[in-house]
Amino acid sequence: MLDGFVEYGYIGLFLASFLAATILPFGSEFVFAGLLAMGMNAWGCVIVASVGNWLGGMTNYYLGRLGKIEWIEKYLKVDRGKIEKMQQWLEGKGAIMAFFSFMPVVGDIIALALGYMRANVYIVNIAMFSGKLLRYILIMYSVSWII
């Protein structure tokens, strides 16, 4: 399945990165590494993957901002308890915690919870993009070291 994304180059990477940042159980790292192994421009891949992943994360933020826990439970299959637990953990830490939305499993819930809490959208944008950019830079250097 991931071969299909690699086949489309930057567009495939963008779509894989976007989907990976949503609630869907999907990873973009293999597509990213595959494109680097094929000789695509490393920094171009970093930018495309970061933007796609950031936009996917912001989609989660805005879904949370809708404030409809019932929809999130029904359509995204995220348990209310997970969102409430994440809200308690985020309480007092602020929008800067969006930096950690790149983390597997909990990153999606961080973005949803920040949206539900109506965290400052400007800080969320900057922090989230910074975290996702740093993640792909580290993956880029790791892949280039292995190849």
Side-chain angles (χ1 to χ4, degrees):
M1 178 177 165
L2 295 176
D3 295 342
F5 286 102
V6 172
E7 188 176 306
Y8 290 102
Y10 290 128
I11 294 169
L13 178 59
F14 178 85
L15 291 172
S17 300
F18 180 86
L19 292 173
T22 62
I23 297 297
L24 300 174
F26 194 82
S28 63
E29 294 83 6
F30 295 111
V31 176
F32 184 82
L35 291 175
L36 291 179
M38 289 173 45
M40 300 274 299
N41 180 283
W43 286 103
C45 287
V46 166
I47 297 302
V48 168
S50 298
V51 169
N53 212 246
W54 165 67
L55 289 173
M58 289 309 296
T59 299
N60 284 342
Y61 172 85
Y62 283 109
L63 287 171
R65 197 167 173 111
L66 288 174
K68 302 286 187 185
I69 291 287
E70 298 79 26
W71 292 358
I72 294 169
E73 283 183 307
K74 182 176 180 180
Y75 299 114
L76 301 178
K77 307 292 187 221
V78 177
D79 182 49
R80 177 188 301 258
K82 285 184 181 179
I83 295 173
E84 289 171 354
K85 188 175 181 181
M86 185 58 69
Q87 280 181 285
Q88 290 172 355
W89 185 76
L90 290 170
E91 203 65 44
K93 293 179 177 73
I96 196 75
M97 294 307 288
F99 179 86
F100 297 102
S101 65
F102 69 87
M103 296 173 59
V105 182
V106 297
D108 302 335
I109 298 171
I110 288 173
L112 275 169
L114 286 170
Y116 189 72
M117 296 168 64
R118 308 241 189 273
N120 183 310
V121 70
Y122 300 111
I123 296 172
V124 167
N125 268 293
I126 292 166
M128 187 181 292
F129 185 77
S130 299
K132 292 182 183 280
L133 178 67
L134 179 61
R135 170 185 179 225
Y136 283 108
I137 289 172
L138 292 174
I139 294 171
M140 176 190 69
Y141 282 120
S142 298
V143 169
S144 66
W145 183 72
I146 291 170
I147 297 178

